[in-house]
Amino acid sequence: MIKMCSRLVATSLRLHAAPSSLLLCQQSRLVSTRRVPSEETLAALKTLLGNRLSTASSVLEQHGTDESYHAVAPPDAVAFVQSTMEVSEVVKICAAAHTPVIPFGAGSSLEGHISATEGGVSIDLTGMNEILSVEPENMSCKVQAGVTREQLNVDLRATGLMFPVDPGANATLGGMISTNASGTTTVRYGNMKNNVMSLTAVMADGRVIKTGSKTRKSSAGYDLTRMLIGSEGTLGIVTEAELRLFGVPEAEKTMICQFDSIQNAVDTCATVMQMGIPVARMELMDENAVDAINKYSKLDTPVRPSLIIEHHGSPGEVEEQSSVVVEIANDFEAKDIELATGLEERKKLWSGRHAAWYATLNQMPGSRGLCTDVAVPFAKLTNVIVETQADLMKSGLFGAIVGHVGDGNFHVMLPFLQDDAKLMQKVRDFSDRLVNRALECEGTCTGEHGIGNGKMSYLSKEHRDGVEVMHMIKKALDPKDIMNPGKIFYGDKKH
Amino acid sequence: MIKMCSRLVATSLRLHAAPSSLLLCQQSRLVSTRRVPSEETLAALKTLLGNRLSTASSVLEQHGTDESYHAVAPPDAVAFVQSTMEVSEVVKICAAAHTPVIPFGAGSSLEGHISATEGGVSIDLTGMNEILSVEPENMSCKVQAGVTREQLNVDLRATGLMFPVDPGANATLGGMISTNASGTTTVRYGNMKNNVMSLTAVMADGRVIKTGSKTRKSSAGYDLTRMLIGSEGTLGIVTEAELRLFGVPEAEKTMICQFDSIQNAVDTCATVMQMGIPVARMELMDENAVDAINKYSKLDTPVRPSLIIEHHGSPGEVEEQSSVVVEIANDFEAKDIELATGLEERKKLWSGRHAAWYATLNQMPGSRGLCTDVAVPFAKLTNVIVETQADLMKSGLFGAIVGHVGDGNFHVMLPFLQDDAKLMQKVRDFSDRLVNRALECEGTCTGEHGIGNGKMSYLSKEHRDGVEVMHMIKKALDPKDIMNPGKIFYGDKKH
């Protein structure tokens, strides 16, 4: 039905800095076609944006690079947009020529979401960084997609409110919406799906829609808000969002508990959850993670499997909750429990945990890393983590485990040198085994990072017939396949 | 593209018991075509189901009737199914003949969701009422769609767990999923979107998909779980669901606070929310609601605007929380605050509140009722409720206001006699004004009841371009328009 009039098959793919075996594998599955924008398309974009359209090679390179191990795949041009209407115009120009558009925020994604695997135009939303309104009495705010979570929380300080979702990286809120980000605080405050009330998005034909409403709940028709959250720019480009805010807790109390075995650490966490003790964060770190963080962040935490647990509430509530957790941890033979109540002390602890990714890469200078992201049913968490640690040891790989264990979600961070194809293969094999372990117990291949172009085969395995239904939606809303193509689904759409 | 081979236009519509002016209006907009199942279709269904296929007029009548004021629209046959595979077979048989299928649970919906406005086969899921598994250590359970929420909670008693979503009616969980139900506990535990992890659903071509996973969160592709929740059977028929469970709270404390003005009652609620005091339920009742409940449930609550507020937690937590709320209520000049801690006392209070709908209808013997369902941004709640009460008085209508005010959601319950066309029109005009008031402040026309065939024009008004996107999804997933047609979208799909 749709005439793919301007598709160009490029013989020389601009993919950099990845071992050739990996590249070959990616080329054959993912990058079958390139759709380079025509001179006319670039001229129309230039007329619209002036010098906010860039084709400088360093800019292209940067916009084809995220934090992942995936090959750099630069776009053919970058559009630095400043408004929803500009995004709409860019999409209309590109749609007319079947040119792909790839939204770009902080570039902190971990599965190649921003790669221009078929070429096209990267739409950089970082210039749309205005906090449009804050309504303390409604406990909500409206932001442009390029606002980062740290920028928002700094801005909110005077109001006594905060936006709670915290994926670690200082991502843009648009990016966090695209991957359905979550993180350390999700056990208490939920993920992006729980904290976005309404979106403004530009669809594949350039039309602008507003989803949801400025209310806590609605049953008005299909939930386009939650359909767009986690759709990784493949259905629409989110330009604005209405977010839920929470009061900064009156009191916060953080503790770090060390254990002799990772089993006791995870069992402590499972018991806390099953007893329904409210926790605001509950993070696991294995010995390797603690060691890497110590070295990178100049801390001296004893090198043992550890849990960092935080409570938010009134002074009375956090005291009561933390004393129950201390009892539970002691039941599981906690070796050491240290409380951090002062702001600076707590900040130091969390900045260490937040730097875990860089700390782990730092253990192997010059490395990039693969970061697994499975989540499993709560009841299976201890077994899966213990088996995974055993697998790690058996395979002789260096990896560090950190996890949002209150959500059943944990990461194994595996650094490798990109010219070491053998190590890379070992890392991928380990990751395969871990995903299979998670899927066997009805878990998911990704708790919060998304599919991107790194987990497409896992998505097929996880959702089977469901992926076909997802693809029917994709085809209906983006018949020209211009919205971030080559993500979530294979280019040839075979699953 | 799609050949509508077996559509039959029926000249004699089987619509009962509604005033003729209303019927005419509904006929012209909603019921343009009937698609009666052919003899072959009925024979194939009979072969599949034996005497579990019924065409008895009383059965048809019952399956075309819900709790709403909408005209009864019976199906042409009712299929009493017992398994997902049977639902799939029924849908395949009906799809081959372009015959509509309408899922049916407890029949407690309030917007005509189960009406067979184009004829077709009602799929009665109440025989699929098995609780398939309960996993206390995973705090989850798996149920068939016909299990009711009360049945589930009775079954869970021994585990110390509960399913928290409570819409008042003893609805089936499948029905609650279809309308994205919520209710009195949503302020604390969320609505169906927050408490369903995974679904099994039969799609329009009979394929069976499993969405989501048995985990707290996932970023694996488009969120088909939340797309199906609230889609009112128009995209697929939910047959099984994996649900989140919560521990029965260690302590519960309920209070009822009376005020001289509804403004003070709502302001109390707004302050509690803005201060972030955890509440498990926070329900408003105006004087008319209190009076109706008193008469119906034989209670003697003073007839004043009232809030029922409940706390769940440890004994220390509920004490601390309720004492703060008492202080706030006193700041807003609460006239009387009564605490109910005993189970029987609390049960009596809540059974009164849950009977509010029938209590209000009871005020006008022989009546049916229209129940509005707007939700508004928190900051606008007091103004909207005060304006709505004034409008009610000015229009001379009898109506009772109850509301899940912690979510910004409230209902005006308006009884009328079905042969009083003039009163009916006044009720509809009042409802129109209320919806407009909500939409003007970025609220929603429905917080929890759904669109059905009663709010389609409001959906268009609320979501404009978004409705077109919803309809693109509908067309892609149900090209023959057999899945509960005439709900959410107009039959002619013009918006």
Side-chain angles (χ1 to χ4, degrees), chain B residues 111-366:
Chain B
E111 287 299 348
H113 295 91
I114 50 74
S115 302
T117 48
E118 300 189 16
V121 177
S122 174
I123 300 185
D124 185 313
L125 292 127
T126 53
M128 290 182 65
N129 62 352
E130 206 179 323
I131 296 164
L132 300 168
S133 62
V134 178
E135 297 184 44
E137 68 288 5
N138 199 42
M139 302 178 87
S140 69
C141 69
K142 191 171 186 175
V143 297
Q144 288 185 316
V147 171
T148 67
R149 66 169 188 91
E150 286 181 7
Q151 177 195 349
L152 176 60
N153 279 324
V154 167
D155 190 86
L156 289 173
R157 250 178 220 162
T159 64
L161 295 168
M162 63 173 189
F163 181 69
V165 184
D166 174 5
N170 187 21
T172 61
L173 289 153
M176 288 166 67
I177 288 165
S178 292
T179 56
N180 183 30
S182 51
T184 55
T185 58
T186 297
V187 64
R188 163 74 177 261
Y189 300 97
N191 60 12
M192 291 306 281
K193 281 186 189 157
N194 303 115
N195 288 294
V196 174
M197 298 194 287
S198 165
L199 293 175
T200 303
V202 176
M203 306 304 283
D205 55 2
R207 88 174 67 193
V208 178
I209 65 167
K210 199 170 165 300
T211 71
S213 52
K214 206 193 274 188
T215 57
R216 297 290 175 99
K217 65 183 197 186
S218 172
S219 287
Y222 305 158
D223 193 337
L224 300 182
T225 308
R226 264 144 283 268
M227 189 189 69
L228 285 168
I229 299 174
S231 68
E232 307 182 5
T234 63
L235 296 177
I237 297 176
V238 170
T239 58
E240 293 177 5
E242 189 86 40
L243 306 173
R244 276 188 73 168
L245 301 176
F246 290 77
V248 173
E250 195 186 347
E252 302 184 25
K253 196 166 182 178
T254 312
M255 66 176 88
I256 180 161
C257 313
Q258 264 102 29
F259 298 84
D260 261 351
S261 74
I262 202 158
Q263 175 142 8
N264 278 340
V266 186
D267 280 345
T268 296
C269 157
T271 307
V272 169
M273 292 300 291
Q274 283 154 8
M275 285 181 66
I277 319 295
V279 286
R281 312 194 203 216
M282 185 152 56
E283 295 289 301
L284 174 78
M285 300 181 290
D286 75 348
E287 299 91 321
N288 287 347
V290 173
D291 188 45
I293 290 168
N294 276 348
K295 286 172 181 157
Y296 187 78
S297 299
K298 301 185 180 26
L299 297 172
D300 55 0
T301 313
V303 179
R304 286 210 191 97
S306 303
L307 283 179
I308 313 183
I309 301 177
E310 185 165 286
H311 299 279
H312 292 175
S314 71
E317 282 165 355
V318 302
E319 279 311 316
E320 184 175 339
Q321 290 158 7
S322 65
S323 69
V324 179
V325 171
V326 166
E327 268 179 51
I328 296 169
N330 282 329
D331 283 349
F332 286 100
E333 299 169 13
K335 289 293 139 195
D336 196 23
I337 299 177
E338 203 183 317
L339 292 167
T341 38
L343 183 63
E344 283 313 309
E345 217 178 339
R346 290 181 43 254
K347 256 191 174 168
K348 201 171 160 191
L349 199 64
W350 284 117
S351 72
R353 165 61 189 87
H354 274 157
W357 174 240
Y358 303 107
T360 308
L361 294 184
N362 196 49
Q363 296 283 81
M364 192 183 285

Side-chain angles (χ1 to χ4, degrees), chain A residues 96-127:
Chain A
H98 295 250
T99 300
V101 288
I102 306 109
F104 189 93
S108 55
S109 60
L110 287 164
E111 287 299 348
H113 295 92
I114 51 74
S115 302
T117 47
E118 299 189 18
V121 177
S122 174
I123 300 185
D124 184 315
L125 292 128
T126 54

Side-chain angles (χ1 to χ4, degrees), chain A residues 54-106:
Chain A
S54 175
T55 52
S57 62
S58 60
V59 173
L60 301 183
E61 181 92 6
Q62 182 221 338
H63 285 78
T65 313
D66 64 6
E67 297 279 355
S68 76
Y69 66 99
H70 296 293
V72 176
D76 300 296
V78 179
F80 291 89
V81 291
Q82 291 183 337
S83 69
T84 298
M85 285 324 294
E86 259 184 17
V87 175
S88 168
E89 288 305 316
V90 170
V91 170
K92 280 179 190 166
I93 291 167
C94 290
H98 295 250
T99 300
V101 288
I102 306 109
F104 189 93

Side-chain angles (χ1 to χ4, degrees), chain A residues 1 135-139 142 161 179-183 186 188 191 193-194 203 205 207-224 226-227 229-232 234-235 242 244 247 250 270 273-276 278 314-317 320-321 373 375-380 404 406-409 441-451 459 462-463 465-474 476-479 488-489, chain B residues 1 135-139 142 161 179-183 186 188 191 193-194 203 205 207-224 226-227 229-232 234-235 242 244 247 250 270 273-276 278 314-317 320-321 373 375-380 404 406-409 441-451 459 462-463 465-474 476-479 488-489:
Chain A
M1 294 279 291
E135 296 184 47
E137 70 286 5
N138 200 43
M139 301 180 85
K142 191 169 187 177
L161 295 168
T179 57
N180 183 27
S182 51
T186 298
R188 165 74 179 257
N191 60 13
K193 280 184 191 160
N194 304 114
M203 306 305 282
D205 56 2
R207 87 173 70 192
V208 178
I209 65 166
K210 199 168 167 297
T211 73
S213 53
K214 205 192 275 186
T215 58
R216 296 288 174 99
K217 66 182 197 187
S218 172
S219 286
Y222 305 159
D223 193 338
L224 300 183
R226 265 145 283 268
M227 188 189 70
I229 298 174
S231 69
E232 307 183 4
T234 64
L235 296 177
E242 190 87 40
R244 274 189 73 169
E250 196 187 346
M273 292 301 291
Q274 283 154 10
M275 286 182 64
S314 71
E317 283 165 355
E320 183 175 341
Q321 291 158 6
D373 183 36
V376 298
F378 216 74
K380 310 287 184 180
H404 317 307
D407 309 314
N409 179 214
C441 60
E442 297 180 73
T444 177
C445 67
T446 174
E448 55 185 21
H449 295 168
I451 300 295
L459 181 71
E462 186 173 328
H463 283 300
D465 282 350
V467 180
E468 274 180 48
V469 174
M470 292 178 201
H471 192 237
M472 286 157 81
I473 296 169
K474 166 74 174 171
L477 300 191
D478 179 23
I488 299 184
F489 308 104
Chain B
M1 291 276 294
E135 297 184 44
E137 68 288 5
N138 199 42
M139 302 178 87
K142 191 171 186 175
L161 295 168
T179 56
N180 183 30
S182 51
T186 297
R188 163 74 177 261
N191 60 12
K193 281 186 189 157
N194 303 115
M203 306 304 283
D205 55 2
R207 88 174 67 193
V208 178
I209 65 167
K210 199 170 165 300
T211 71
S213 52
K214 206 193 274 188
T215 57
R216 297 290 175 99
K217 65 183 197 186
S218 172
S219 287
Y222 305 158
D223 193 337
L224 300 182
R226 264 144 283 268
M227 189 189 69
I229 299 174
S231 68
E232 307 182 5
T234 63
L235 296 177
E242 189 86 40
R244 276 188 73 168
E250 195 186 347
M273 292 300 291
Q274 283 154 8
M275 285 181 66
S314 71
E317 282 165 355
E320 184 175 339
Q321 290 158 7
D373 183 37
V376 298
F378 216 75
K380 310 286 184 182
H404 317 306
D407 310 313
N409 179 213
C441 61
E442 296 179 72
T444 177
C445 66
T446 173
E448 55 186 21
H449 294 169
I451 299 297
L459 181 70
E462 186 173 329
H463 283 301
D465 282 350
V467 181
E468 275 180 47
V469 174
M470 293 178 200
H471 192 238
M472 286 157 82
I473 296 170
K474 166 75 174 171
L477 300 190
D478 178 23
I488 300 185
F489 308 104

